[in-house]
Structure formats: C-alpha cells, structure tokens
C-alpha cells in the first residue's frame, strides 16, 4: 500500500469533516432514500389522508420490488399535518432538517400555499396529492412545488362542458360553495366554463345566479339551505366537501332542496358522499382524480387495484390514493432521468417529464409545474345494492382540451358573469 500524499490526506479530512458536520448527508447516501409524506392522519380530513398514505405506500412497495430508485430502496417518513398549515410547516421543516428534500402530500389548498416559501428557502421539492388551489401554478407559483394531478381549471371546465353537452336546456345555475380558498376557486372556474361552453355547444347564454356561501366545518347548514331555496335555479354546482357535504345533503333532504334541481354537479367528492349516504344520495355528476373502472386494461391501474385491495380489502380505491401513487412514481422517474435525487436535478427532470400512471401517461408542463392528464367524471345514483349506489355513466375528457394555458406568476384569468 502506498503512503498517502498530502493532497490525499486533505481530501480524506474534508470528506470526514463533511460527514461529521452533516451526518444526515452521509447516512442518506448509504441508507434508503427517504421521501417525506405530509398528509392529514387525524382531524376532519383524516379519511382523505389515509387514502394518500395507502397510495404512497403501495407505490413505494412496487418500486422497491423493482430495485428501488437509482439502486436504493425507498422509505417513507410520514407526518400528520391535520390539514393545518402550521402543522404542515412544522412537519416540513423537521423533514428538511433531517436532510429529506423530496416530499409528497399536501391535500389542503391552504397547506400547499403555506409550504411553498419554506420549500424554496430550504431547497426542497413538494408534489401535492390533490390540493385544489389554482394559485400554486399562477400568482403563488414556485419552482419547488408541483401538481402531478389534474388542475382545478381542467376539472371545473370539463364539468361545465359536460353540462353544456348533456343538459343544454339547463341554463340557470347556482352553487353551494364553502367560503374558503377551494370553494371560491372551483366556483369561479366552473362559471368560466359555463360562459364558454354553453354559447359554443348549446347555443345559449347561461344565467349565473349568486352562489350560496356555506360555512366550513359546522354541524348546521339550515341557514344556507333556506337561502338556496329562495334561488330559482335549474342546475346546482356543489363544492362542499367530505363530511361537510354529507351533513349538508342530509339536512337538505328534509327541505327537498336537491330535488328542485334538474342536475347536480359535484366538484370533487368522488364516492365519499355516496358511501356516506348510500340510497339517500341525490343523483349527481362528480369529478374523480381516478376511477378504476375507467382504466381497466391499463396494466399499472390493474396492478394498483390488486395491490390496494390486498392492502386494505377495499376494491375501489379513490383518487387521492392514485394521486399519491402518481406522485411517488413521478419522483422516481425524475431521479432516474437526472441520475440524481438532489433538488436542482429533480426539479429540472420533473419539468417536461412524461411518466406512466394509473390513469395513463401524464406530462408535467415545464412552464408552471402542472401535469396534463385526462379528467374523469362519473354519474352516481342511488341503487338497491350492497353499496347503496351505482355509477350510471362515466367519461374521460382529454385534459389538453380543457386546461388553460400556463401563466406562472400571474393571476388566473377567468370569465365572469
């Protein structure tokens, strides 16, 4: 063995000093690749967070069985954000301090908007698994934040186009809108779509009536329901969400509110309300991040359903699980593309990335970190089955046909009545 020269000794010393000063870096390079998962696992949104957790865990298991990412096994570091911005910030800072720069989760609009500055400052990357705010790709754009799922403008405009196609005579529209970021976003986008697609498709001008602003996280919706009864609308767009939507719909039954409308279009509850109300469900169209039956024959989807069923005994995974699955795979493919898990490389590789998912190929727009994917819409109605509901129709809308052009750093421009 040759004697080390001075230069070699200095190199060894510098490497040792780096390992001592930043032990998490040395451990990260030799141990598993840790990815942070920040999602609500307690509180009112726990049920959605559980879907996110299950979907991410399935993706990690599949990737590890295939050899991992760049030859390293993957491990999730899971934190509960309670759908609360303060809790999410604390979790993100903890993970970043541990040297974990790749994060997924963030189903709340408020959480995602709060995370953007810290991810930029601390050089992390975050992929949301369902947050609906348009701001993250517009006036609050950050190159460190990505949405691998459908954008709110693609979803809401696809729903409006469907209404113009299937219900051309339903032209008087109102909304049941929670008075927060997500509710206002989705109502504004849906109205934009109505104003474009009714004249173009139905050859009629829609009449946009004032929406009813619903409180968030309360147990009594009777004031809002009473206000809605005074509005003479034919169509209703609902953006109340999860447990709030179930409570509101149940209380509305006693007033006959939903029966007054010729069509109800729900923003994004997927099967949550149907599972809660069963045969009491008002028939409605709803937006889905992912509907398994619409993706049969897609090998990745078929495997995902099989693995999800084995893990949870639920043969019908909802879209938040699919979005987490897609987010993990996006990180894996970006790391493979750039041959690195460092933040700058991952950001560069995510931009313009096309990768396979359970809904088919998606492409991440380089301009605004927004994926382009098909929008999946289903019509749910009550049924005398064990589930208490059934899907009467479903369609896929080409995402490229409804998504608005990228405009990072600028407020989304929408038509108004």
């Amino acid at each position: 063995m040759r004697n080390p020269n001075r230069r070699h000794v200095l190199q060894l010393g510098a490497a040792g000093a780096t390992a001592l000063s930043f032990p998490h870096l040395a451990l990260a390079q030799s141990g598993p690749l840790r990815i942070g998962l920040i999602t609500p696992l307690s509180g009112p949104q726990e049920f959605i967070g559980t879907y996110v957790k299950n979907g991410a865990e399935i993706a990690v298991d599949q990737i590890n069985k295939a050899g991992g990412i760049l030859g390293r096994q993957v491990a999730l570091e899971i934190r509960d954000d309670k759908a609360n911005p303060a809790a999410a910030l604390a979790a993100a800072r903890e993970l970043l301090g541990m040297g974990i720069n790749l994060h997924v989760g963030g189903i709340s609009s408020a959480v995602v908007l709060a995370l953007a500055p810290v991810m930029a400052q601390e050089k992390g990357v975050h992929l949301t698994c369902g947050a609906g705010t348009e701001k993250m790709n517009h006036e609050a754009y950050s190159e460190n934040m990505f949405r691998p799922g459908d954008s709110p403008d693609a979803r809401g405009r696809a729903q409006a186009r469907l209404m113009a196609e299937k219900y051309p005579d339903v032209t008087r529209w109102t909304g049941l809108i929670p008075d927060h970021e997500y509710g206002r976003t989705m109502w504004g986008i849906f109205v934009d779509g109505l104003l474009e697609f009714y004249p173009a498709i139905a050859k009629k001008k829609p009449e946009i009536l004032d929406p009813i602003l619903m409180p968030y996280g309360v147990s009594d919706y009777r004031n809002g329901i009473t206000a809605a009864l005074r509005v003479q609308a034919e169509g209703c767009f609902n953006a109340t969400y999860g447990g709030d939507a179930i409570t509101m719909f149940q209380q509305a039954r006693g007033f006959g509110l939903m029966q007054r409308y010729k069509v109800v279009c729900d923003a994004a509850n997927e099967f949550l309300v149907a599972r809660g109300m069963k045969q009491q469900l008002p028939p409605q169209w709803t937006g889905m991040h992912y509907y398994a039956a619409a993706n049969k024959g897609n090998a990745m989807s078929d495997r995902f359903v099989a693995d999800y069923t084995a893990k949870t005994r639920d043969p019908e995974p909802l879209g938040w699980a699919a979005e987490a699955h897609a987010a993990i795979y996006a990180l894996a493919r970006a790391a493979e593309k750039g041959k690195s898990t460092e933040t700058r490389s991952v950001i560069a590789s995510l931009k313009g990335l096309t990768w396979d998912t359970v809904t088919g190929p998606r492409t991440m727009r380089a301009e605004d970190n927004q994926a382009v994917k098909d929008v999946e819409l289903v019509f749910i109605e009550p049924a005398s089955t064990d589930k208490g509901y059934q899907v009467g129709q479903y369609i896929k809308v080409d995402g490229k046909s409804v998504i608005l052009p990228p405009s990072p750093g600028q407020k989304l421009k929408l038509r108004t009545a």
Side-chain angles (χ1 to χ4, degrees):
M1 177 178 178
R2 67 181 177 87
N3 292 328
N5 58 32
R6 182 174 181 272
R7 181 180 180 184
H8 186 57
V9 170
L10 290 174
Q11 288 173 337
L12 290 174
T18 299
L20 290 172
S21 301
F22 303 98
H24 60 269
L25 294 180
L27 180 61
Q29 294 303 317
S30 59
L33 173 62
R34 295 182 295 171
I35 296 176
L37 172 62
I38 301 174
T39 195
L41 296 172
S42 62
Q45 303 302 328
E46 175 184 357
F47 58 98
I48 295 179
T50 300
Y51 284 114
V52 171
K53 176 176 176 288
N54 287 335
E57 288 177 340
I58 289 170
V60 166
D61 288 344
Q62 293 174 347
I63 289 169
N64 283 340
K65 287 176 182 177
I69 297 176
L70 299 178
R72 295 167 63 188
Q73 293 288 284
V74 181
L76 290 174
E77 286 283 346
I78 301 173
R79 297 293 185 272
D80 176 14
D81 70 7
K82 304 175 179 61
N84 177 279
L89 283 170
R93 290 188 183 280
E94 178 193 359
L95 294 173
L96 290 162
M98 295 167 62
I100 300 172
N101 64 316
L102 306 180
H103 299 183
V104 301
I107 65 165
S108 159
S109 294
V111 161
V112 166
L113 293 175
L115 286 177
V118 73
M119 298 306 289
Q121 178 183 356
E122 302 298 333
K123 298 179 174 57
V125 181
H126 184 94
L127 278 68
T128 175
C129 297
T133 176
E134 88 288 2
K135 291 183 174 63
M136 70 172 288
N137 306 110
H138 292 277
E139 62 262 46
Y141 168 77
S142 165
E143 68 171 7
N144 300 74
M145 305 293 291
F146 290 80
R147 181 164 25 223
D150 45 348
S151 68
D153 53 291
R155 167 80 66 87
R157 285 166 50 77
Q159 291 175 313
R161 190 172 82 179
L162 179 69
M163 297 300 101
E165 291 170 346
K166 289 190 172 291
Y167 307 96
D169 295 327
V170 176
T171 57
R172 292 171 58 85
W173 283 90
T174 189
L176 304 175
I177 307 302
D179 192 13
H180 57 43
E181 172 73 24
Y182 172 76
R184 293 187 293 272
T185 291
M186 292 309 300
W187 172 246
I189 291 169
F190 184 71
V191 168
D192 173 86
L194 293 178
L195 293 172
E196 176 179 349
F197 295 121
Y198 263 85
I201 296 171
K203 308 303 179 185
K204 296 176 182 177
K205 182 179 179 180
E207 184 177 355
I208 310 301
L209 307 177
D210 288 340
I212 307 303
L213 295 180
M214 292 291 190
Y216 177 67
V218 302
S219 59
D220 188 348
Y221 288 89
R222 287 175 295 180
N223 287 341
I225 292 167
T226 301
L229 287 169
R230 293 195 289 267
V231 178
Q232 301 299 310
E234 301 166 320
C236 177
F237 180 75
N238 170 60
T240 61
Y241 204 66
D244 285 356
I246 294 172
T247 301
M248 188 276 294
F249 278 128
Q250 287 174 335
Q251 292 177 4
R253 289 184 69 245
F255 294 84
L257 174 62
M258 308 316 292
Q259 289 73 25
R260 292 165 59 96
Y261 303 122
K262 295 179 180 179
V263 60
V264 175
C265 185
D266 174 81
N269 275 299
E270 304 204 359
F271 294 136
L272 292 178
V273 173
R275 289 180 176 182
M277 297 192 69
K278 301 185 183 299
Q279 294 184 20
Q280 296 179 347
L281 174 77
Q284 58 193 267
W285 285 93
T286 189
M288 306 280 289
H289 291 296
Y290 164 74
Y291 177 44
N295 293 281
K296 284 185 178 179
N298 172 335
M300 181 172 273
S301 176
D302 294 344
R303 182 185 177 195
F304 175 66
V305 172
D307 289 350
Y308 192 91
T309 303
K311 180 180 179 67
T312 67
R313 298 184 181 180
D314 179 1
E316 195 173 57
L318 296 191
W320 298 277
E323 294 302 83
H325 187 268
I328 296 291
Y329 268 96
L331 287 175
R333 299 299 174 248
E336 292 164 358
K337 177 182 173 183
K339 297 181 174 56
S340 172
T341 59
E342 295 301 314
T343 295
R344 295 305 311 169
S345 176
V346 171
I347 289 174
S349 296
L350 281 169
K351 287 178 173 292
L353 179 73
T354 296
W355 79 107
D356 289 331
T357 76
V358 296
T359 62
R362 304 183 188 183
T363 298
M364 188 74 73
R365 293 197 302 204
E367 300 93 337
D368 63 353
N369 298 356
Q370 170 61 58
V372 180
K373 68 174 286 283
D374 291 343
V375 179
E376 303 188 3
L377 306 174
V378 303
F379 182 74
I380 319 174
E381 55 193 350
S384 300
T385 63
D386 291 340
K387 292 194 299 185
Y389 65 90
Q390 65 184 13
V391 173
Q393 304 176 59
Y394 64 84
I395 67 167
K396 275 195 172 195
V397 178
D398 182 357
K400 295 188 295 294
S401 71
V402 286
I403 194 170
L404 293 171
S407 56
Q410 302 175 38
K411 186 175 181 179
L412 182 63
K413 295 179 181 179
L414 299 171
R415 299 168 183 83
T416 57

